[in-house]
Amino acid sequence: MIDIAQNSALQNSNLFKVQQPQLKTINVIENKTYDEERALYNVKDTHIRNCTFAGPRDGESSLKESRNIVVDSCNFSLRYPLWHSQKYVLKNSNLDEKTRAPIWYANDGYIDSCKIESVKCLRECHNTIINNSTIISPEFGWKCSDIEINNSTIDSVYMLFGTNNVKINNIRFSGKYSFQYMENLSINNSYLDTKDAFWHSKNVIVKNSTLKGEYLAWFSEGLTLINCKIIGTQPLCYCKNLKLINCTMEGTDLSFEYSEVEASINGHIDSIKNPKSGKITVDSVGEIILEDSIMENNAQIIIRKE
């Protein structure tokens, strides 16, 4: 029996306090085009609808320091539009590749049905919900906290680097170095095609998902995988308090090196190498490698169909 009480508490804890901002707007701005510097600086209590932020003057920071705004069906092609914004809704809008670093230092945000192709989107933001969106952003979501992402597609080289208190449901992700140096993360019903995911992460639970890539979750602490499919070479090495429950593994050679692990695997593992401690139960394994270790390895390996 694998004890998952510690990680299960994560999903029900007070860590996830993300709430959609409750806004009441008084003013309306619609069908306008802005390209000047700080075009709507410190705009407040306003619904901004069907506007375009682009043009020859190439002005930055169009909505900087805005408060209590709804941005609906707008197009952005200028840098830094939503820096230091507080209580904002961004929906049905497009932010192209010229909208560099669009949302930094912004709190209490709700992003819905948007297409964002902006490098360095979301930096040091807190209490943000993202729904039904497509995001292409090489450095997405760095140094944030209290983030919820649902029903979205994300392409990012470094996804959520150093971000804490995150809840993800039904995303399709592609990228490389995702979820590194994170703490308190929950992922459900997702497909992750990623290299070096979860390195140095703490207190992560992933359920009902596919994790495809190389060198999965090295140096992680408190990672639990439930009903997951793991694909790729040399996964889950140097881990502390690692748990796998009802998972499958494909193309997973040199697995679990120097890890403290409790695992129940359905099917086959290509090879297991020098697991440090715990117990690994699997239907079959191609090779068990217990050699050239730099530390004592006492993990128990149980083969069901031997």
Side-chain angles (χ1 to χ4, degrees):
M1 180 66 69
I2 298 175
D3 181 11
I4 62 169
Q6 179 180 354
N7 291 84
S8 295
L10 169 65
Q11 291 186 306
N12 301 315
S13 70
N14 294 325
L15 295 173
F16 299 116
K17 298 179 180 179
V18 186
Q19 295 181 354
Q20 182 175 343
Q22 302 301 307
L23 305 181
K24 184 178 181 181
T25 57
I26 300 172
N27 309 304
V28 176
I29 297 174
E30 59 184 341
N31 304 320
K32 301 289 187 180
T33 297
Y34 298 97
D35 67 348
E36 64 267 32
E37 187 86 6
R38 298 191 179 191
L40 296 175
Y41 180 79
N42 194 221
V43 65
K44 299 176 182 176
D45 308 320
T46 299
H47 194 136
I48 302 162
R49 185 166 53 230
N50 296 319
C51 290
T52 297
F53 297 87
R57 284 185 284 185
D58 197 31
E60 301 173 354
S61 307
S62 54
L63 296 166
K64 187 176 182 179
E65 296 286 3
S66 55
R67 301 288 186 269
N68 201 52
I69 63 168
V70 176
V71 181
D72 185 6
S73 303
C74 292
N75 293 302
F76 291 85
S77 193
L78 298 173
R79 297 174 298 281
Y80 324 137
L82 285 161
W83 279 39
H84 299 281
S85 295
Q86 308 294 324
K87 289 191 176 180
Y88 68 92
V89 170
L90 176 66
K91 61 181 181 178
N92 307 314
S93 295
N94 294 314
L95 290 73
D96 70 13
E97 66 277 3
K98 295 181 181 179
T99 315
R100 186 178 179 86
I103 309 170
W104 283 35
Y105 316 117
N107 300 325
D108 302 318
Y110 182 79
I111 300 168
D112 185 65
S113 302
C114 289
K115 184 176 182 181
I116 301 173
E117 299 177 273
S118 313
V119 68
K120 299 183 180 180
C121 180
L122 222 67
R123 179 74 61 91
E124 294 194 43
C125 295
H126 309 287
N127 193 42
T128 307
I129 298 173
I130 301 171
N131 289 333
N132 310 310
S133 293
T134 299
I135 298 169
I136 302 171
S137 183
E139 296 176 10
F140 174 73
W142 284 26
K143 300 292 183 178
C144 297
S145 67
D146 300 300
I147 305 294
E148 183 176 320
I149 306 173
N150 302 295
N151 307 318
S152 295
T153 299
I154 301 175
D155 186 315
S156 179
V157 179
Y158 283 92
M159 164 81 159
L160 297 174
F161 180 86
T163 286
N164 297 325
N165 306 338
V166 177
K167 193 171 186 177
I168 291 172
N169 183 61
N170 191 29
I171 72 163
R172 190 170 186 92
F173 172 79
S174 60
K176 289 187 178 179
Y177 315 111
S178 58
F179 312 109
Q180 292 191 356
Y181 292 94
M182 294 190 68
E183 190 166 350
N184 304 326
L185 167 65
S186 171
I187 300 176
N188 198 15
N189 297 318
S190 295
Y191 185 94
L192 311 177
D193 186 351
T194 173
K195 181 179 178 179
D196 294 1
F198 308 114
W199 276 46
H200 299 280
S201 63
K202 293 183 180 180
N203 200 18
V204 174
I205 183 168
V206 185
K207 297 175 64 176
N208 308 313
S209 298
T210 296
L211 294 78
K212 179 183 178 182
E214 301 172 347
Y215 319 119
L216 175 69
W218 284 32
F219 311 107
S220 62
E221 185 174 345
L223 171 65
T224 297
L225 307 177
I226 303 173
N227 302 329
C228 289
K229 183 175 184 180
I230 298 132
I231 305 170
T233 187
Q234 298 184 57
L236 305 167
C237 300
Y238 295 91
C239 300
K240 295 180 180 179
N241 190 26
L242 171 66
K243 298 178 176 65
L244 284 78
I245 301 168
N246 196 38
C247 292
T248 61
M249 302 180 76
E250 179 181 313
T252 50
D253 61 325
L254 308 175
S255 307
F256 304 116
E257 185 174 23
Y258 303 140
S259 286
E260 303 167 3
V261 54
E262 296 289 334
S264 175
I265 307 298
N266 298 321
H268 183 77
I269 300 177
D270 286 2
S271 62
I272 296 171
K273 183 176 181 179
N274 293 338
K276 182 179 178 181
S277 62
K279 182 170 68 175
I280 301 166
T281 303
V282 61
D283 289 340
S284 63
V285 59
E287 185 179 11
I288 297 173
I289 304 167
L290 302 174
E291 61 186 22
D292 300 325
S293 178
I294 63 167
M295 62 182 71
E296 188 173 352
N297 298 292
N298 297 313
Q300 182 182 10
I301 300 172
I302 299 173
I303 302 174
R304 298 188 187 97
K305 297 183 178 180
E306 193 171 41

